[in-house]
Structure formats: C-alpha cells, structure tokens
Amino acid sequence: MEKKQKATKIFLYVLLIALTVFMLVPFYWMVISSLKENKDVFSVPMQWWPQVMHWENYQRIWEKIPLLTYFKNTAKLTIITTIIQLCTSCFAAYGFTKCRFKGRDTIFLMYVTTIAVPWQVYMIPQFVLISKIGLNDTHLGLILMQSFSAFGVFLIRQFYLSIPNELCEAARIDGLNEYGIFRKVVFPLGKPAMATLTIFTFTNVWNDFMGPLIYLKTQEKKTVQLGIRTFISQYGADYAYIMAASVCSLIPVVIIFLSCQRFFVEGVAASGIKG
Amino acid sequence: MSEKKAGGLTSHQKRAIRTNLVGYSFIIPNLVGYSLFVFLPVCFSFVLSVMEWDASQAPMKFVGLANFADIFGDRVFRSSFVHTIQYALMTVIPTLILALLLAVLLNNKLKGVAIFRTAFYFPYIASIVAVGAVWNMLFQPDFGPINQFLKFIGIDNPPRWVVSTDWAMVAISIVSIWKYMGYYMIVYLAALQGISGELYEAASLDGANSWQKLRYITIPMLTPTTFFVLIMLTIQCFKVFDLVYVMTGGGPGNSTKTLVNYIYEKAFTSWELGPASAGAIVLFAVVLVITLIQFRGEKKWSRDM
C-alpha cells in the first residue's frame, strides 16, 4: 500500500513538472531570445542557451523606443485609476450597505443591470462622449473611463455586508457620525477586499491594450503595451529587441504578483464563486 | 434646501432629510462617474445602432434597422460571427477540462503545490501584447521552435499556423487555452475546498479508488462550478479582441476576424458608427442570452441544493 502511494506521488510530480514546463517555456524562450542577437533568435537547430549573452539589448531598447516615457505614462494611469476606483468603490459600498436612504435599491439596481454588459458593447458611445468633452488622446479621458466600475462596488460591498451592523451601531452610540464610522470602523476592516481590488485594477490597467489603442494617438502619451505594440508593427524583424521590451513590460506585474499572490487567489475565488 | 423651507419642517423630517443626504454623499462620487461614463454610454449604444453617423460635426440621421440589415448583409460580418463561434468551440471545452484537471491535481496534499499554482496562474497575468509577441515567434512557420519540434518528431509538413488561413485560429485558441486555464483552475480549486472530506472518507470505506472518487464525487459536486466556468468562458470568447489583434490582426485574409475586431474596425478605422454599434448590439444580445441561461441554471441549482 505504501509503495503504491509513493508511486502515485512520483507520477503526480512528474505530471505537474511536465505541465509547469509547458506553461513556462514561452517565458523562458522570451528571456533567452531577448539575450540573443537578432539573427540567432530563429537559428536551426534552436539554441536553448545563448552562446553569448547580449545584455546590451536591454540597454539598447531604452534608446530605441521611449520606453521610459511609456513606463511613466502607464504608472501614472495605473496609480490614479486604482486610487479613484478604490476610494469611490469603498464610499459607495458603505452607502449601499450601512446607510438607509431613499432610492438606494433603485440606484443599486442600475449597477446590477449593467455589470454584465461587456465594455465592448458601449465603448463606441463612451469614446464619442469623451471626445465631445475634449478628452480624446488625453490620459484624463482614459482614467475617467476606467475608474468607475460596478465590479469594484460589488466586490467591496460583498465584503462590507459581512461586517456586522452591530459594530456600526455601537460606534454610533459612542457618538461617531457616519463619516467617522466609515473612517474608523468599516474602512480599516475592509483592507483585504481593498487589496484584492487594488491588484485587479492594477493588472487590468497595466495590461490594458484596447483602451489605449482607441484613445491614445500621440507618441509621448502611449502606454507600455501600446508602445511595444507600435514598435512590433514597425520593426517586426527586431526579434531580440521585441522580446527584451516584452520582458521589461512584464516585470512590474511579476513583482506585484509574486508579492501579493494571496490576494490574487482570494480575488479569483471571491469573484468566481459569487459571480 | 432653502432656510425658509427647512424652518417649516419638523425635527423628525429634518433628520430624515439629513440621513438621506449622508447616504447620497457616500455614493455620489461613484454614482456620478458611473452614470456618466458607463450607464449613459450603455443606453446610448442602443441609440447609435439605429443612426447613421461618422462622429463628425454633421448631425446623426435616424435610419431605423438599416444598420442591422447592413451588417447582416455584409459577408465580413457574417464570417466574423462564425469565426467567433469557431474560436469559442475550440477554446471553451479544452480550457475547462484542463482547468479542472489542474485543480484536481493541485488539490492533492503535495509539497510545493504553491509553486505549481503560481506557474499555472502566471500566464493569466502576463500582458497579451508580450504573450502574443512571444507565441507569434514560437509559431513562426519556418524556423519557429514549435515547427522545429514537429519536424523533429517526424511531421514533415507542419501547419503554417498564423500565416495559414486554416490554422491561424487554432493557434490563437492554443494561446488562449494556455493563458486562461490557470485562472479557471483557481476557480475550481476554491470550489474543491468546499467539498466535504467526509464524502471521500465514506467512499474510501466503500472501497472506491481515486478514479471512482473523481468520477462519482468530485465531478458531480462541481457541476455548478463547471456551469459557471462554461458561461464565463463562453462570454469571454465572444469578447475576444486583443489576442487576435496582436497575433494576426484578423488575417490572413479575414480568416481570424472576430466580432469585436469587426466592431473595432467599423468604428475606429472606417468611422461607420451606426453599423459598428449594430454589431455591438449583436454582441450584447449574445451575452444577454448566455447570462439568462446562467440565471436559469443558478436558480435550478439553488433549488436542488
């Protein structure tokens, strides 16, 4: 029996390792190609380990495309969008869970009915609207269109619902007004949900491609994703540089992901199960 | 609230108004942004779909259902729709099965599970631009590693992948499966944690082997999750854009053009906002139907449970 269990275990490990290799090979290929010379990227037979490491590719890429500008733009968009999203969602979630006011349920219904509508359905009128107020090709336009989501409100609301009302009641008796209760009681308790939302918004905005593609035309305003894409379409044969740029674009997300993995997993579970 | 009016109210009414105002003050920041930049555009997308407009200063013109007649008469639209369905058919089931398989594997008490989980989930958070670029090179028909491998194992004429009208969509599907299965694996893992261990213990006492446990306990217990994953994946497939855009741009020919690629091009390249919006409404209708199926399914399971 014990022997059999051991065999099963070994089999499982072999299977898992094989799958892991399959999942990670593209990333490995990306990294080694970024360290090769262009002409060696597609050498036959393949080199799984470059003979000479061309680290200078990583220097060159910053000169070849304004990668630093792209990084700054993306960081700006990501940070501002995440902050607005977080603050307004927490506020609204408190309003929807802990306050009673006229029309609350009707207003919430508006969120419910539109949460399932894909962005692609309303991206055209949204673009028209943002252009009409003169924000086409601006970062502000992109920020405004991405900052308000029903998903954020739902996620935080779900968490606030689990905070007992007695807690707020007790604070009320202690003489705190609603803003005080929000600031001192509910907001600090909601940190796990906020972490999840932060990470979701961060990766979404950082990786977003279609939004910037539609809104940003000026070279100096482009984001990392759009900038790299533009580079690829212009210099499609600069394989090593393309891969070096891709590696650079992945780094921030990788850092966030590895340091906050727990919240990623909890976030998927929360949004997945509750729908 | 003018002074005079407030003066005529009882203290009870005053308090009610105050409570209301406090409540509104909490939701107003999000509500204003959401109504303006999401809710209004959603409503307006229906209006645009029955108008003729090129986003210029010229006024819109009401054309009724002509835009719909227009796109349904357009061969490119019909083929885009068909491609989207093909893509969904090729992607949904493999992603679902692999996600379930990975979740079941990782649900074993093994050392290092966290590392495997990270590896499987990682493609999901990688940006589509980077991922598309690398897979495009992997799929390179003459010297790409995939075809070198296929030639190595004895396939003399491997598919030409992204440059072939027959294989381009398959290539996109493969990348999509690779990228998204980790996400759904996590969804499954969360559901697996919810299955009571007692069921398995009882089955062990009855002499069930691992396969029987999977077949008669795990899979049936996961039915609601599988249904949910199926719905989510199908909707996601109908929304596909980025992956196609960065890998093939809809080509070769129009062989990988999908619904959203069609909408995008109609709207932002040829500025025919009417037909583009009609296409968007078709997408909405598809998603709506799928969502309604989901509601019915959820009702059924909440009754059965």
Side-chain angles (χ1 to χ4, degrees):
Chain A
M1 192 68 189
E2 195 136 278
K3 219 174 185 179
K4 203 185 148 199
Q5 254 180 8
K6 211 168 178 189
T8 324
K9 237 181 189 171
I10 290 170
F11 171 74
L12 275 178
Y13 271 116
V14 171
L15 194 63
L16 282 172
I17 289 168
L19 283 166
T20 309
V21 169
F22 171 72
M23 294 304 274
L24 296 185
V25 152
F27 295 108
Y28 176 75
W29 204 82
M30 185 189 279
V31 174
I32 55 158
S33 302
S34 73
L35 294 169
K36 287 177 179 173
E37 253 186 289
N38 255 334
K39 62 176 175 48
D40 294 332
V41 170
F42 287 120
S43 58
V44 180
M46 253 209 72
Q47 292 172 12
W48 284 101
W49 190 256
Q51 284 153 341
V52 190
M53 295 282 183
H54 290 273
W55 293 103
E56 74 273 11
N57 286 351
Y58 280 89
Q59 236 169 353
R60 283 275 183 70
I61 189 69
W62 295 81
E63 296 153 11
K64 253 187 128 74
I65 52 175
L67 207 52
L68 188 67
T69 314
Y70 296 155
F71 264 97
K72 280 187 196 154
N73 292 339
T74 319
K76 174 183 157 194
L77 286 174
T78 311
I79 292 168
I80 298 178
T81 307
T82 309
I83 291 175
I84 299 181
Q85 166 98 280
L86 214 54
C87 293
T88 63
S89 297
C90 286
F91 263 154
Y94 184 86
F96 283 126
T97 51
K98 307 293 176 201
C99 297
R100 298 228 133 265
F101 52 88
K102 240 197 203 143
R104 186 181 83 166
D105 299 334
T106 323
I107 296 171
F108 191 66
L109 193 68
M110 182 187 91
Y111 282 84
V112 177
T113 49
T114 40
I115 192 171
V117 181
W119 174 69
Q120 288 86 343
V121 169
Y122 60 86
M123 65 182 179
I124 301 167
Q126 196 182 43
F127 175 80
V128 170
L129 178 85
I130 286 179
S131 304
K132 287 283 162 203
I133 51 179
L135 296 176
N136 180 20
D137 199 18
T138 63
H139 288 155
L140 185 62
L142 260 181
I143 291 170
L144 287 176
M145 92 178 217
Q146 286 181 318
S147 288
F148 307 99
S149 76
F151 172 75
V153 177
F154 268 69
L155 189 83
I156 307 279
R157 176 181 171 270
Q158 206 65 29
F159 194 86
Y160 283 2
L161 280 176
S162 69
I163 297 175
N165 284 332
E166 288 77 17
L167 218 56
C168 306
E169 220 35 72
R172 224 161 268 152
I173 291 163
D174 285 347
L176 282 179
N177 62 18
E178 293 298 319
Y179 304 105
I181 302 172
F182 173 70
R183 200 162 58 90
K184 295 202 171 117
V185 182
V186 177
F187 187 77
L189 283 172
K191 274 181 190 149
M194 285 166 66
T196 304
L197 183 60
T198 306
I199 281 163
F200 263 60
T201 316
F202 182 93
T203 31
N204 278 344
V205 180
W206 187 275
N207 287 340
D208 187 28
F209 175 68
M210 203 176 178
L213 176 71
I214 293 173
Y215 283 84
L216 302 177
K217 303 289 174 235
T218 316
Q219 194 67 15
E220 297 76 48
K221 289 180 185 160
K222 286 185 175 173
T223 61
V224 176
Q225 309 303 335
L226 187 59
I228 292 178
R229 174 64 211 173
T230 314
F231 177 71
I232 294 174
S233 50
Q234 280 165 356
Y235 302 94
D238 282 350
Y239 308 113
Y241 290 138
I242 292 172
M243 289 295 96
S246 300
V247 171
C248 292
S249 79
L250 286 181
I251 289 172
V253 175
V254 172
I255 293 173
I256 296 272
F257 172 60
L258 292 180
S259 51
C260 314
Q261 248 197 84
R262 190 165 63 92
F263 297 112
F264 272 93
V265 174
E266 280 165 15
V268 179
S271 60
I273 301 228
K274 308 222 164 70
Chain B
M1 300 294 139
S2 68
E3 285 288 316
K4 222 163 111 194
K5 206 175 167 193
L9 296 168
T10 63
S11 68
H12 182 77
Q13 279 170 312
K14 265 186 197 164
R15 217 179 43 228
I17 290 174
R18 257 188 67 92
T19 333
N20 275 340
L21 284 180
V22 170
Y24 292 134
S25 73
F26 273 105
I27 59 162
I28 276 270
N30 196 285
L31 184 65
V32 169
Y34 193 75
S35 329
L36 204 57
F37 297 111
V38 179
F39 195 68
L40 191 69
V42 169
C43 301
F44 202 63
S45 61
F46 291 93
V47 178
L48 264 186
S49 71
V50 291
M51 297 288 177
E52 188 187 296
W53 196 36
D54 58 358
S56 67
Q57 297 300 324
M60 291 178 209
K61 208 174 94 201
F62 178 76
V63 291
L65 295 176
N67 289 328
F68 289 92
D70 209 32
I71 57 169
F72 283 115
D74 184 355
R75 210 169 39 82
V76 182
F77 176 78
R78 288 199 307 264
S79 72
S80 302
F81 197 78
V82 172
H83 295 151
T84 314
I85 293 172
Q86 283 171 344
Y87 168 75
L89 288 175
M90 283 190 287
T91 312
V92 172
I93 300 296
T95 312
L96 191 141
I97 292 174
L98 284 166
L100 176 62
L101 181 85
L102 292 179
V104 170
L105 281 178
L106 288 188
N107 204 36
N108 284 299
K109 286 190 178 56
L110 291 170
K111 275 201 190 101
V113 157
I115 297 171
F116 293 122
R117 200 180 56 196
T118 309
F120 297 154
Y121 189 65
F122 188 61
Y124 177 71
I125 57 136
S127 80
I128 288 189
V129 173
V131 156
V134 74
W135 276 95
N136 252 347
M137 293 188 193
L138 295 174
F139 276 127
Q140 212 277 343
D142 297 311
F143 314 105
I146 291 176
N147 275 1
Q148 277 195 46
F149 175 74
L150 291 178
K151 279 178 195 156
F152 174 75
I153 60 167
I155 299 169
D156 290 328
N157 284 313
R160 298 190 60 76
W161 302 114
V162 286
V163 293
S164 136
T165 46
D166 296 328
W167 287 92
M169 200 50 121
V170 179
I172 295 173
S173 270
I174 292 175
V175 179
S176 172
I177 295 166
W178 168 84
K179 188 168 174 16
Y180 292 107
M181 66 187 186
Y183 176 85
Y184 292 102
M185 170 196 78
I186 304 273
V187 175
Y188 268 124
L189 267 175
L192 281 171
Q193 315 277 304
I195 301 180
S196 139
E198 287 166 27
L199 283 173
Y200 293 103
E201 281 163 32
S204 296
L205 288 177
D206 289 342
N209 61 27
S210 305
W211 166 248
Q212 285 168 324
K213 281 185 209 161
L214 178 71
R215 172 74 185 78
Y216 295 106
I217 301 177
T218 312
I219 293 177
M221 288 300 283
L222 287 178
T223 313
T225 313
T226 303
F227 178 70
F228 172 77
V229 170
L230 193 71
I231 296 283
M232 289 295 115
L233 265 168
T234 314
I235 292 180
Q236 189 192 318
C237 283
F238 272 94
K239 295 193 295 189
V240 68
F241 170 80
D242 311 27
L243 202 56
V244 175
Y245 188 89
V246 298
M247 284 191 67
T248 63
N254 277 326
S255 64
T256 54
K257 191 177 273 180
T258 62
L259 192 50
V260 178
N261 285 73
Y262 179 87
I263 298 170
Y264 171 81
E265 278 174 25
K266 271 276 175 216
F268 300 110
T269 338
S270 34
W271 297 102
E272 297 174 52
L273 298 194
S277 297
I281 295 301
V282 172
L283 173 68
F284 177 72
V286 171
V287 173
L288 186 70
V289 169
I290 302 171
T291 310
L292 290 177
I293 297 174
Q294 180 191 7
F295 280 156
R296 290 196 63 167
E298 269 173 4
K299 243 186 226 157
K300 176 176 175 304
W301 275 300
S302 58
R303 213 174 37 232
D304 291 352
M305 283 298 166

